[in-house]
Amino acid sequence: MKLLLVGATGLVGRNVLDLALADARIYGVVAPVRRRLREHPKLIAPKVDFEHLPEGAEWWRVDAVICTLGTTIKTAGSQEAFRRVDHDYPLAVARLARQHGTPTFVLNSAMGADASSRFFYNRVKGELERDLASLGFQSLTYVRPGLIGGKRDEFRLGERLASVALGILKPVLPRSLRINPATKIAEALVQAAVVPRPGIHVVTSAELA
């Protein structure tokens, strides 16, 4: 199969890219990016502006999309900018992929995603899930991790402190509240793309612990 990966330079996206390039079931990976990726025989990495995606590009014709795009409000600079990255960009990618016949979409979402949530972050994630469901994908999977474990390019103090606390409490915590390693999340994303199941499915944080 051929896979489209958006968000390939983030923590989870990097792990997805590594798995996809090593997976014999995947013969090609398209990873549109804003900055250059390493070269690989199976990889096409076109540079794009997510504000102006190339609607007619042939590389939209793939068997599945994995989306790991995401940021924080602090990094984005405002709630409006956060919504653009975590909702508008993934939805734009999904629409174009669907228009070109892609049957499967897999989203790295978040625990607590809920379009009616009073918490902005959870509400945006839930609105994206809701809007993706309206596009008519044959297989749609939401992977909903809690706190993601792994080494990021950027330092996030809150995540670092939470990781330490959850690591200490792990023996007594329910699985749904444990740290979800980026490698486990990536495995779930790739599996949902390579072996798609008809309908809408959710992979919970407990399944990723």
Side-chain angles (χ1 to χ4, degrees):
M1 65 168 295
K2 189 175 183 180
L3 176 71
L4 174 67
L5 169 63
V6 286
T9 58
L11 173 58
V12 174
R14 291 196 304 269
N15 281 275
V16 171
L17 183 60
D18 288 342
L19 287 176
L21 292 177
D23 195 320
R25 298 170 296 179
I26 301 172
Y27 71 81
V29 179
V30 180
V33 289
R34 286 175 288 191
R35 64 177 186 264
R36 189 171 180 175
L37 288 176
R38 69 184 187 277
E39 293 185 1
H40 189 281
K42 287 170 58 171
L43 178 63
I44 299 173
K47 284 192 175 182
V48 298
D49 176 357
F50 282 94
E51 294 284 349
H52 305 284
L53 290 169
E55 298 183 8
E58 280 299 313
W59 46 256
W60 287 112
R61 301 183 187 280
V62 294
D63 299 293
V65 176
I66 294 178
C67 179
T68 63
L69 279 176
T71 186
T72 63
I73 295 176
K74 181 180 179 181
T75 299
S78 68
Q79 288 189 344
E80 179 184 2
F82 172 83
R83 179 184 291 277
R84 190 159 60 248
V85 174
D86 277 59
H87 176 276
D88 298 354
Y89 291 172
L91 188 60
V93 166
R95 282 176 173 154
L96 285 169
R98 191 71 194 103
Q99 288 170 16
H100 285 80
T102 301
T104 300
F105 194 94
V106 186
L107 174 69
N108 186 44
S109 186
M111 182 173 67
D114 182 351
S116 61
S117 176
R118 61 191 180 94
F119 298 106
F120 178 76
Y121 179 88
N122 291 347
R123 187 165 67 250
V124 170
K125 295 294 187 180
E127 289 173 350
L128 175 58
E129 291 188 2
R130 177 200 64 198
D131 295 343
L132 289 172
S134 71
L135 298 181
F137 285 102
Q138 295 172 26
S139 178
L140 178 59
T141 301
Y142 307 133
V143 177
R144 294 178 179 167
L147 184 65
I148 301 173
K151 186 176 180 181
R152 295 187 183 275
D153 289 337
E154 60 179 315
F155 178 76
R156 299 181 181 178
L157 179 59
E159 283 192 2
R160 184 67 58 84
L161 295 175
S163 295
V164 173
L166 292 179
I168 294 172
L169 295 173
K170 181 179 179 180
V172 298
L173 285 175
R175 292 183 65 85
S176 61
L177 296 180
R178 295 178 185 176
I179 295 172
N180 297 152
T183 51
K184 289 276 289 186
I185 300 167
E187 288 170 3
L189 291 164
V190 171
Q191 182 65 13
V194 174
V195 188
R197 294 180 293 159
I200 299 176
H201 306 276
V202 174
V203 179
T204 67
S205 59
E207 298 173 75
L208 302 167

